[in-house]
Amino acid sequence: QKEVEQNSGPLSVPEGAIASLNCTYSDRGSQSFFWYRQYSGKSPELIMFIYSNGDKEDGRFTAQLNKASQYVSLLIRDSQPSDSATYLCAVNRLTGGGNKLTFGTGTQLKVEL
Amino acid sequence: DGGITQSPKYLFRKEGQNVTLSCEQNLNHDAMYWYRQDPGQGLRLIYYSQIVNDFQKGDIAEGYSVSREKKESFPLTVTSAQKNPTAFYLCASSISTDTEAFFGQGTRLTVV
């Protein structure tokens, strides 16, 4: 079982719709959770982080965390063509060597006009 | 400007040669990371460091080496033992290992 799993997509949504991106993780001891956006050929940029169960909103973005189900999601409201990118979920967990930040393979999002 | 600087942006290496990728940050971050990204794949952790003079192997450390002699610097050496070194290499840093990480612009390494 992979430590962090995401559907590779592509996920296609029409402009103005809500895009829902999902991520599951295997280690119940994971402590902090991050969403990054990566445009083709560029480095990842941080969108949001979430540490506690529930929802966290920032502009058009909402991160949702459910530790019991080991599930974290990212909602993008009013999707724009500029949101077309790969979205990476990252999970931080404590190991013998310290905190380890592990990424999923990413979900490609396409926002269509 | 504060940030994370990776150099060079593009690097070509002949088979059998070692090469060192530079990563410097002036954010006063304690933690630093090296990841590798191949086409269609996510980021795979090579090495990480929680604090100066300390580092840990990630998931794919074989064929790589690092040092952390200064807080602001975390160079990665790709050795000739790395069988498939062609990839996009990303360096990141964070205040501590349980907070959000920020990335440099990456180095594209090609073996010719």
Side-chain angles (χ1 to χ4, degrees):
Chain A
Q1 184 183 8
K2 289 183 179 179
E3 293 181 31
V4 181
E5 293 206 59
Q6 297 180 255
N7 287 327
S8 60
L11 172 66
S12 294
V13 299
E15 184 179 6
I18 296 175
S20 178
L21 303 159
N22 304 315
C23 172
T24 58
Y25 58 94
S26 61
D27 188 341
R28 210 168 262 286
S30 298
Q31 301 166 319
S32 44
F33 309 85
F34 308 90
W35 282 100
Y36 288 81
R37 177 175 62 198
Q38 186 178 27
Y39 292 111
S40 181
K42 302 295 185 183
S43 60
E45 52 182 333
L46 180 71
I47 299 174
M48 292 191 71
F49 57 88
I50 185 166
Y51 299 145
S52 304
N53 275 331
D55 295 359
K56 180 181 178 184
E57 187 174 318
D58 184 1
R60 295 187 297 114
F61 300 98
T62 299
Q64 300 174 317
L65 176 61
N66 183 326
K67 289 187 176 180
S69 299
Q70 295 174 240
Y71 175 95
V72 58
S73 65
L74 179 70
L75 301 178
I76 307 174
R77 288 180 298 281
D78 188 24
S79 295
Q80 302 297 310
S82 58
D83 294 326
S84 297
T86 296
Y87 289 80
L88 299 165
C89 172
V91 175
N92 207 322
R93 64 186 183 92
L94 185 62
T95 69
N99 282 300
K100 182 181 171 188
L101 184 62
T102 302
F103 284 78
T105 54
T107 298
Q108 185 183 6
L109 174 66
K110 292 184 177 180
V111 181
E112 298 166 337
L113 295 171
Chain B
D1 276 11
I4 305 164
T5 302
Q6 289 186 244
S7 60
K9 190 173 181 181
Y10 298 96
L11 187 57
F12 296 89
R13 187 195 94 173
K14 291 183 179 179
E15 281 193 34
Q17 286 182 337
N18 292 356
V19 64
T20 297
L21 282 58
S22 171
C23 179
E24 303 276 333
Q25 53 96 1
N26 60 4
L27 301 168
N28 201 33
H29 285 175
D30 280 321
M32 296 187 76
Y33 313 81
W34 274 106
Y35 291 89
R36 167 182 172 143
Q37 188 173 36
D38 295 282
Q41 297 197 31
L43 278 62
R44 293 186 288 167
L45 182 63
I46 305 173
Y47 270 97
Y48 59 110
S49 169
Q50 298 184 92
I51 199 166
V52 66
N53 291 323
D54 176 73
F55 51 84
Q56 304 293 330
K57 289 182 179 180
D59 299 315
I60 55 164
E62 186 176 350
Y64 299 98
S65 66
V66 294
S67 63
R68 188 83 188 279
E69 297 175 2
K70 297 187 295 182
K71 187 175 186 177
E72 59 270 23
S73 178
F74 192 40
L76 173 74
T77 296
V78 184
T79 74
S80 57
Q82 170 49 236
K83 299 304 178 190
N84 252 333
T86 296
F88 187 38
Y89 290 86
L90 289 156
C91 176
S93 71
S94 59
I95 293 173
S96 63
T97 52
D98 60 352
T99 58
E100 62 274 23
F102 299 93
F103 285 84
Q105 76 272 31
T107 293
R108 288 199 182 277
L109 173 64
T110 303
V111 173
V112 297

